[in-house]
Amino acid sequence: MLHDETLQRWLNRYLSVRACTESICAPLSEEDCMIQACEDVSPAKWHLAHTSWFFERFLLRDLDLISAPFHPRFDFIFNSYYKGVGSIQPRPQRGLLARPRLEEVMVYRRHVDEHIINLLNTSSDTIRREQWTRALNILEIGIQHEQQHQELLLTDMKYNAYAQPLQIAPYPTASIPCLESRDLNWIELPTGLHHIGHQAEGFAFDNASPHHIVYIGPVVLASRPTTNGEYMEFMEEGGYQRSELWLSEGWNQIKTHGLECPFYWQKTTDGSWQQFTLHGWQALDPLETLCHLSYYEADAFARARGARLPSEQEWEVWAHSQDWKPRGFDLGNVQPRRAQGIFGAVWEWTMSSYSPYPGYQPWRGTVGEYNGKFMVNQYVLRGGSCATPPDHIRPSYRNFFPPHARWQFSGLRLAKDLL
Amino acid sequence: MLHDETLQRWLNRYLSVRACTESICAPLSEEDCMIQACEDVSPAKWHLAHTSWFFERFLLRDLDLISAPFHPRFDFIFNSYYKGVGSIQPRPQRGLLARPRLEEVMVYRRHVDEHIINLLNTSSDTIRREQWTRALNILEIGIQHEQQHQELLLTDMKYNAYAQPLQIAPYPTASIPCLESRDLNWIELPTGLHHIGHQAEGFAFDNASPHHIVYIGPVVLASRPTTNGEYMEFMEEGGYQRSELWLSEGWNQIKTHGLECPFYWQKTTDGSWQQFTLHGWQALDPLETLCHLSYYEADAFARARGARLPSEQEWEVWAHSQDWKPRGFDLGNVQPRRAQGIFGAVWEWTMSSYSPYPGYQPWRGTVGEYNGKFMVNQYVLRGGSCATPPDHIRPSYRNFFPPHARWQFSGLRLAKDLL
Amino acid sequence: MLHDETLQRWLNRYLSVRACTESICAPLSEEDCMIQACEDVSPAKWHLAHTSWFFERFLLRDLDLISAPFHPRFDFIFNSYYKGVGSIQPRPQRGLLARPRLEEVMVYRRHVDEHIINLLNTSSDTIRREQWTRALNILEIGIQHEQQHQELLLTDMKYNAYAQPLQIAPYPTASIPCLESRDLNWIELPTGLHHIGHQAEGFAFDNASPHHIVYIGPVVLASRPTTNGEYMEFMEEGGYQRSELWLSEGWNQIKTHGLECPFYWQKTTDGSWQQFTLHGWQALDPLETLCHLSYYEADAFARARGARLPSEQEWEVWAHSQDWKPRGFDLGNVQPRRAQGIFGAVWEWTMSSYSPYPGYQPWRGTVGEYNGKFMVNQYVLRGGSCATPPDHIRPSYRNFFPPHARWQFSGLRLAKDLL
Amino acid sequence: MLHDETLQRWLNRYLSVRACTESICAPLSEEDCMIQACEDVSPAKWHLAHTSWFFERFLLRDLDLISAPFHPRFDFIFNSYYKGVGSIQPRPQRGLLARPRLEEVMVYRRHVDEHIINLLNTSSDTIRREQWTRALNILEIGIQHEQQHQELLLTDMKYNAYAQPLQIAPYPTASIPCLESRDLNWIELPTGLHHIGHQAEGFAFDNASPHHIVYIGPVVLASRPTTNGEYMEFMEEGGYQRSELWLSEGWNQIKTHGLECPFYWQKTTDGSWQQFTLHGWQALDPLETLCHLSYYEADAFARARGARLPSEQEWEVWAHSQDWKPRGFDLGNVQPRRAQGIFGAVWEWTMSSYSPYPGYQPWRGTVGEYNGKFMVNQYVLRGGSCATPPDHIRPSYRNFFPPHARWQFSGLRLAKDLL
């Protein structure tokens, strides 16, 4: 039997995550919420509805806690990619959703909330024990899922604001606390066998399991991520013109699209650099953590420095050896600031392609279409960023994006083989 | 010197056209106004702003009646294609314009209106005579231009509503007055020389001039446009499967896209046909005027009937011989209803490619980038439709679209050579 | 009854056209004959086979003069676009035809020739009169068809040679006879009614009929086509940078592809211009007839000169008024040389879109899929070029290409309205 | 000092590899050698020239053994992707190379051979010791490189023959020796640390180094690759219709292209399956080794069987444990025949993305643009196929292709975690 107190803790957590999502969107108008400036990003309205649909579809309806869908077409328009539950609105058409209106989506959120509140206020013995286990399992996944979408909301809002001619940033100008900068040191990992992957306590996505052993050879990792200033040197040395530094696909990308700097950067008429942020255009701070790179740019920079990207296993072993505490997002300043020696300012590209751990099993049922089916042609990023919910920042967490992606808060940390 | 009374008539006309545009958009929310479901259509918000920009840019600013642009970026985002006045937001990105918000666009409309009102309330001798001539000339063009966008608003609203999964029509269900149907008769044109093009009185776009002579040979035209029922027979006879009926490009279009009926039609599960309208889905009335065809479909249907499309000159000679009165749009029922023997229910494809009349000169200045530069690979449509402002329906009016276009209110009238 | 003498004349003509086709290809190796450098052009081997297939399919097999196809797959691979006789190898894949080998295609040509020779050596009363009529009708079309492909062979050979890195021209360096240049005069057409189209004698394609009346207003035409030198002035005056001179689609073409001169032209390191020809690279002669323009370039040039392109009817009336004799191709120098006051150096773009004459009927049967189905989005060229068989040069002949086409021998002649 | 005997052995090996390449192309005509049916494949003529260019450019010219290039444009047209030595003919245009003719390419081969023969016949002390080291190093790479192109020649010849309407196979019908089929057993790997990568003796490409340690957990591998019959069961069970078996990108590929079986397979009218081979169409033998799968198909099949693909490290450990001998290609029957328990019938997809080994360094100089720059978005295949030169079949050899590739001789071997 579950204690009411336990359920009350679940409820508080659920409500707090839901409120957080809405606070992220608070500055957006109906029109701001509808824009989809490229296929990779989604409209804020869609995120608001999709996260609710996840609870409705996989918790309330799969467990028969409600009898009918809220709306007959929402399975079509607010499903992201779960083929197990029917046909899906093509992703590039999410920007066409004038209807339902934002206010209708908010009604939908309240509808879902009400049923979840009812469930968690239920005297815990009114439903069967196994059902509770399953319900709380899905509730946990839904909460984690909504937190992931909080980061996507921030990255997509940034992209959508930038893509418009008026480039009106969603948040007011940030006061940037001037963090102290840190020197770069090299930290050696202990050569030998290490444990990798999520262990026992706390929630983790299926892709972080099973826990297993790897061998790590002699290697050092940088004590902090690369900074804007370090990358500007690379640019000034002709990094974008030297084909020998680049993976073949990376060279194609930068030449096809004429890239010469990270995404969101631009040179002003006086020759200085600025970057677009969720708080508007800012002068570039050379000591700030570098951000918005593709895997190709991160890899080319490392090669130019006689280094390489760490593997995800090296990264994880390194992170476990640090005295870290989660930082995560703060709507007062959603920008990776000056380096802090640990992680959590930017997602750090690793050299590891995203693939299953030995013995990996996706979750059962349709929610298992979450991680496994994307395990090809993507690369793992570790750490978490200034747009990540604090409790999603941990050593074993595996984020992943295709190597050309640049709109995420993605940077890098150098590694070097000791030979 | 201009009489104040004359100016008052201009003012009333201006205000009435502006109000009409806004009444068309009245049922749309901010989100409805932002959607652009394909490159060919524009968001309603863009139409509302662009028509205002036309007055601001070519009347108020070209004549120095205001000192500064309303907004520094509006020249970029609300210019359609006038290269003479600077760089332009690419057309496919009009759907990205979350900003300016609809309410800001309405403020822009009021700003422009105020200045036009001031101008027309000015004691007419305060500005120079030639400036008046020029001002009223542009005012006229601006009013006509806004009326053209009224039709585009209706066609684009239809397309945008249809493209969404929820397919919510902007207007309430129409009560469809059951017009009497009419038999099809063949009307012979007098063989010989005829005058073509706009003559003296009233406004006309530059493409309808100069007035000139053509020779018309022995031909008959149908007394009314083709009906849904007649086209359904063509479909039932396998019209979409018989390559010999089709222009090569038309055959490619229908096979590439799997077309088997006019746009907005769909077969219900009981085998009957229905069509999407600005008032929602309706059962198809076989006696109603056929609509939403490409040139290719119109041409193939005519060939199947041993007939052809009329030339635009034949059509114009025929129209002058009729006792017609303009009909135009009625927001209570924006759908071509039963045939009325004359024109104005649908735009009628002609076999004539859109090209300059002998001696054609575009208007001087940037407003001349209106018609002439599109005179290639487009075909002329004549008549006007159920979505056309009544005073744009006249025998000499030349509308034009590329032959694959299907989202306009476009149908056809048969013609036959007498040999 | 047909006289043997008549048949012998047919035979001689047939054999002479077939031999001419092969002499055009004489300098090509098996590999040269196989190349297809873009979708618009075809490999020489394909032309050699397709022209033979035309006789086999529409003459020998339609009239049951042979019992079986030469090869079961040739209907698939050597049909161009006659949907009436089965499925067709997609045009862009013609360059994949390593098999049949060139020598097998030559065997095919001989096979077809043998049967045609047998037919024409047949005592003429052995087959029925009507069959003769039909046979000679198709024979005529087949001969004319093969002559059209002679010009296409030359244009495609030029394109294919140019597209290769080694750019080896098929023919040896030409000795260029220095024709006298001519001044440009303006020739006025008689205002009033004129007859247009093919009349009684001699062969003509179906698209030149029926003969009919048009009205022509006051206009003058240039006495000779535009020269290289005149076009170079246009280029030097910034013609390719002035958007107001261009049709909107033309402007898109030149900006998308970065065009700044006619096709096959290139600036040498010393700043002078040269052009690629079937005889290799040559210095550009300012007095030579201008060639390899799109419709858009021709139209923009005319606009820059305060002129326009003639309509095809004006062109035809003008041509009938001239004392012309056919010139056509000469493999010793396949290049439009200095202007000769009449036509036949380049195909001349007219402003007329390609559409049916009043009362037009395509030929019956599958050979009727020849002209009519292309009557949309193409423009008429008149005159004939330095690559045209001499007996295809005549006032009523209608050639047609889409307006962006530049690889044909296409130039222009100016016209002006008299107002 | 080098012994002449040593040089003579080098010479013999060089000449034998060169002769082997030419024997592969022996049945091809000039036209067969020119075809490029898709971007992924190259014309045989190009392979013949490119392999020669490799020796000319990186051996003869880099070491100043010849003074001038054989042809000024060959650096442009026969360079594959070495950006360090200048601009390169775009890959999709290799099929345009009518010139140089095949016979000229053969002259080029002889020219290169002559210089290599001269070099190796040189009394070995006439050039400096270090130069010899470098020369023989590049010679080795050039030989290995040409052998890799032997396999590509076979795969591309197969693709090019198949893509043509006549589908004429290059080699005569094979007599298929009926090898005994073998049962599938599961072989367990020893859990713990293993050495991976190329060790000391013999040539290896840079990507197989450095030699390093990995930890391998409890796993079993199949004793033989999957057979046609096993895959047909998967197809019959609806494998191509069950989205839950597929990676998301794989599902997109099969649905976009309508794939329902491996490449080169086709169902006959009587319902049986046949496959296209270099020897023509053959009935499918259920006991033969399965071939021409994408990574996605291999992965989906494994998932359907409750298994997975092995990692490349697992595969290598397994292979070292086997008693294998190289098999490789035999022009009498270039098709993976019945399973033989070891490897070398088909390239076997592994689950490992292609990435650098710890401490990996590409070769110095331009030849280093060989492997490293492709280390992203590709997957490793191990083993070697029926089209692989025998001495390229070894446990440490890393082949790699993008996961959608199907035209290689690619199959799979199952693995299972022991939990």
Side-chain angles (χ1 to χ4, degrees), chain D residues 316-343:
Chain D
E316 185 169 333
V317 168
W318 165 82
H320 276 303
S321 76
Q322 301 298 304
D323 181 23
W324 60 276
K325 51 172 186 287
R327 182 171 142 204
F329 67 73
D330 168 357
L331 297 184
N333 192 354
V334 191
Q335 194 60 14
R337 281 157 291 169
R338 296 205 175 176
Q340 297 176 60
I342 51 159
F343 56 87

Side-chain angles (χ1 to χ4, degrees), chain C residues 102-120:
Chain C
L102 179 58
E103 64 187 27
E104 295 168 299
V105 165
M106 296 313 286
V107 169
Y108 182 41
R109 284 185 72 85
R110 293 297 79 81
H111 164 84
V112 168
D113 286 352
E114 243 171 70
H115 282 85
I116 302 285
I117 292 166
N118 282 348
L119 170 69
L120 296 176

Side-chain angles (χ1 to χ4, degrees), chain B residues 10 13-15 17-18 21 47-48 50-60 82 109 112-113 116 134-150 203-205 363 367 370 392:
Chain B
W10 276 102
R13 199 162 136 245
Y14 171 82
L15 292 174
V17 166
R18 298 284 283 175
T21 303
H47 285 294
L48 287 166
H50 164 70
T51 47
S52 305
W53 174 85
F54 191 97
F55 288 110
E56 189 209 355
R57 184 68 190 78
F58 296 121
L59 176 46
L60 301 178
Y82 300 89
R109 287 184 72 85
V112 169
D113 286 351
I116 301 285
R134 196 168 149 214
L136 294 179
N137 185 24
I138 296 290
L139 184 64
E140 177 70 55
I141 295 175
I143 288 171
Q144 299 281 347
H145 171 260
E146 181 143 349
Q147 287 185 303
Q148 290 186 315
H149 278 273
Q150 290 168 358
F203 172 85
F205 286 102
W363 289 326
V367 290
Y370 200 95
H392 280 235

Side-chain angles (χ1 to χ4, degrees), chain B residues 84-113:
Chain B
V85 294
S87 69
I88 305 168
Q89 156 104 338
R91 183 185 180 109
Q93 295 172 20
R94 290 178 185 165
L96 301 188
L97 297 171
R99 309 295 180 99
R101 301 189 52 176
L102 178 58
E103 65 187 27
E104 295 168 298
V105 165
M106 296 313 286
V107 169
Y108 182 41
R109 287 184 72 85
R110 293 297 79 81
H111 165 85
V112 169
D113 286 351

Side-chain angles (χ1 to χ4, degrees), chain C residues 29-32 34-37 45 71 73 76-77 89 96-102 164-166 168, chain D residues 29-32 34-37 45 71 73 77 89 96-102 164-166 168:
Chain C
S29 70
E30 287 90 335
E31 290 154 290
D32 293 333
M34 191 177 139
I35 188 181
Q36 179 185 34
K45 181 160 72 175
H71 189 289
R73 295 292 282 161
F76 179 73
I77 63 184
Q89 156 104 338
L96 301 189
L97 297 171
R99 307 295 180 97
R101 301 188 52 175
L102 179 58
Q164 293 183 71
L166 302 190
I168 293 167
Chain D
S29 70
E30 287 91 335
E31 291 152 290
D32 293 332
M34 190 177 141
I35 189 179
Q36 179 184 34
K45 181 160 70 174
H71 189 289
R73 296 292 280 159
I77 61 183
Q89 157 104 339
L96 300 190
L97 297 172
R99 308 295 181 99
R101 299 188 54 173
L102 178 59
Q164 293 184 71
L166 301 190
I168 293 167

Side-chain angles (χ1 to χ4, degrees), chain B residues 71-174:
Chain B
H71 188 289
R73 295 292 281 161
F74 282 13
D75 276 357
F76 178 73
I77 60 182
F78 294 127
N79 183 354
S80 50
Y81 50 63
Y82 300 89
K83 294 186 197 298
V85 294
S87 69
I88 305 168
Q89 156 104 338
R91 183 185 180 109
Q93 295 172 20
R94 290 178 185 165
L96 301 188
L97 297 171
R99 309 295 180 99
R101 301 189 52 176
L102 178 58
E103 65 187 27
E104 295 168 298
V105 165
M106 296 313 286
V107 169
Y108 182 41
R109 287 184 72 85
R110 293 297 79 81
H111 165 85
V112 169
D113 286 351
E114 244 171 67
H115 282 84
I116 301 285
I117 292 165
N118 282 348
L119 170 69
L120 297 175
N121 281 337
T122 302
S123 171
S124 61
D125 50 3
T126 55
I127 67 170
R128 279 180 303 113
R129 178 74 199 194
E130 317 84 75
Q131 231 186 349
W132 270 119
T133 308
R134 196 168 149 214
L136 294 179
N137 185 24
I138 296 290
L139 184 64
E140 177 70 55
I141 295 175
I143 288 171
Q144 299 281 347
H145 171 260
E146 181 143 349
Q147 287 185 303
Q148 290 186 315
H149 278 273
Q150 290 168 358
E151 174 150 11
L152 291 175
L153 266 165
L154 288 165
T155 52
D156 294 1
M157 284 161 63
K158 186 170 182 176
Y159 188 93
N160 286 331
Y162 177 75
Q164 293 184 70
L166 301 191
Q167 298 193 315
I168 294 166
Y171 300 118
T173 308

Side-chain angles (χ1 to χ4, degrees), chain A residues 27 29-32 34-37 45 71 73-74 76-77 89 95-102 163-166 168, chain B residues 27 29-32 34-37 45 71 73-74 76-77 89 95-102 163-166 168:
Chain A
S29 70
E30 286 91 334
E31 290 153 290
D32 293 332
M34 189 177 141
I35 189 179
Q36 179 185 35
K45 181 162 68 176
H71 189 290
R73 296 292 282 161
F74 281 13
F76 178 73
I77 62 183
Q89 156 103 338
L96 301 190
L97 296 172
R99 308 295 180 100
R101 301 188 54 174
L102 178 58
Q164 293 183 72
L166 300 191
I168 294 166
Chain B
S29 71
E30 286 91 333
E31 291 153 288
D32 293 332
M34 190 177 140
I35 189 180
Q36 178 185 36
K45 181 161 69 175
H71 188 289
R73 295 292 281 161
F74 282 13
F76 178 73
I77 60 182
Q89 156 104 338
L96 301 188
L97 297 171
R99 309 295 180 99
R101 301 189 52 176
L102 178 58
Q164 293 184 70
L166 301 191
I168 294 166

Side-chain angles (χ1 to χ4, degrees), chain D residues 23 32-33 40 63 101 142 145 153 158 182 185 212 224 237 256 290 297 345 379 387-388:
Chain D
S23 72
D32 293 332
C33 280
D40 285 330
L63 273 74
R101 299 188 54 173
H145 170 260
L153 266 165
K158 186 170 182 175
R182 295 258 301 254
N185 301 311
H212 63 286
R224 59 159 174 75
E237 291 161 18
T256 303
L290 172 66
E297 287 166 304
Y379 284 76
T388 309

